[in-house]
Amino acid sequence: MTNANLTTLEILRKAKTGLFNNLCDASTLSESVDLMKLRADPVFYLCEFLYMISQFDFKNEDFFKTYIENHNAYIQALIEDREKHTSRLGLNRQRLESGLFSPRSMEKSLANFRMSRGAIDQSDLSRFMIAILSPETTRRTVEILSLGGLISRDRSPFGSVLIQSSGVIEATFGQYLSECRTGIQNQFSS
């Protein structure tokens, strides 16, 4: 590994530590065991996803529907490519199939979306995260973020648990990305 690679790794790790520190500071959590959970990789992945959708036009129902359709196409391609989903990703077919939106679940998701101004059903969030997080890991991660006051979890009229961010996660992740980009630019611009 070259010195430039090590320097880049140091910049990325420092920024990630800063991200976790900022999330802990912004949360309402005080118990060390809970704060440790906020520093776990699943929190990072969920923050990344929430940041990404905040940058898209996720307030637009047509965009959300297209996003679901593209997600389904990606998951279906993984299912059909046994080598990729089994050997490279370590995912079994059953898990991937649980990440697909059925026509009924898509309609429910779009109805929840319309009624709740962009909130995402927790089970839909699990579908979106299926390639990197199990549904149970997604649920536990959502719970710790909710416990910390960083997202809300509310029941819809359909019985769904709807997830909505306060915006702190997205701002904190955006700051993390800026620190990565700036750190790398500053280090290698001379």
Side-chain angles (χ1 to χ4, degrees):
M1 193 179 297
T2 66
N3 285 340
N5 286 346
L6 285 173
T7 300
T8 300
L9 182 59
E10 182 182 346
I11 291 165
L12 295 175
R13 284 188 171 181
K14 181 179 177 185
K16 192 172 184 181
T17 299
L19 167 72
F20 288 137
N21 288 343
N22 291 337
L23 287 174
C24 288
D25 290 346
S27 80
T28 58
L29 300 172
S30 59
E31 297 293 321
S32 61
V33 68
D34 292 331
L35 291 169
M36 258 183 13
K37 291 175 187 176
L38 272 184
R39 296 178 176 281
D41 281 340
V43 169
F44 180 85
Y45 300 137
L46 221 51
C47 289
E48 180 182 59
F49 178 79
L50 292 171
Y51 175 81
M52 179 193 66
I53 64 171
S54 77
Q55 298 304 299
F56 292 145
D57 189 13
F58 248 57
K59 302 298 183 205
N60 177 312
E61 185 179 337
D62 290 333
F63 183 88
F64 187 54
K65 183 178 181 184
T66 300
Y67 189 85
I68 292 171
E69 290 168 347
N70 290 339
H71 166 81
N72 273 357
Y74 170 70
I75 296 298
Q76 192 60 51
L78 286 178
I79 290 169
E80 292 168 8
D81 187 346
R82 186 173 174 15
E83 168 68 20
K84 189 174 198 174
H85 80 254
T86 304
S87 300
R88 286 189 258 161
L89 297 177
L91 302 172
N92 64 40
R93 182 181 184 94
Q94 181 181 4
R95 176 167 163 177
L96 287 171
E97 286 174 346
S98 74
L100 290 170
F101 285 82
S102 68
R104 184 174 183 274
S105 62
M106 183 185 291
E107 279 307 311
K108 184 180 109 186
S109 183
L110 292 171
N112 281 329
F113 185 86
R114 277 190 296 274
M115 292 177 60
S116 59
R117 301 175 194 235
I120 298 177
D121 181 330
Q122 184 171 303
S123 62
D124 294 341
L125 183 60
S126 291
R127 286 183 185 91
F128 286 132
M129 302 302 293
I130 200 68
I132 54 175
L133 298 176
S134 72
E136 179 60 17
T137 300
T138 299
R139 184 190 64 76
R140 285 193 317 260
T141 304
V142 164
E143 285 178 351
I144 196 66
L145 290 170
S146 176
L147 188 63
L150 299 169
I151 61 172
S152 63
R153 296 173 71 226
D154 299 305
R155 285 254 175 231
S156 79
F158 303 106
S160 303
V161 176
L162 298 178
I163 308 304
Q164 192 138 37
S165 174
S166 65
V168 170
I169 288 172
E170 295 85 341
T172 303
F173 199 84
Q175 181 181 351
Y176 155 78
L177 291 174
S178 293
E179 287 175 13
C180 290
R181 186 180 62 254
T182 303
I184 291 169
Q185 286 172 342
N186 291 343
Q187 184 64 38
F188 299 108
S189 64
S190 50

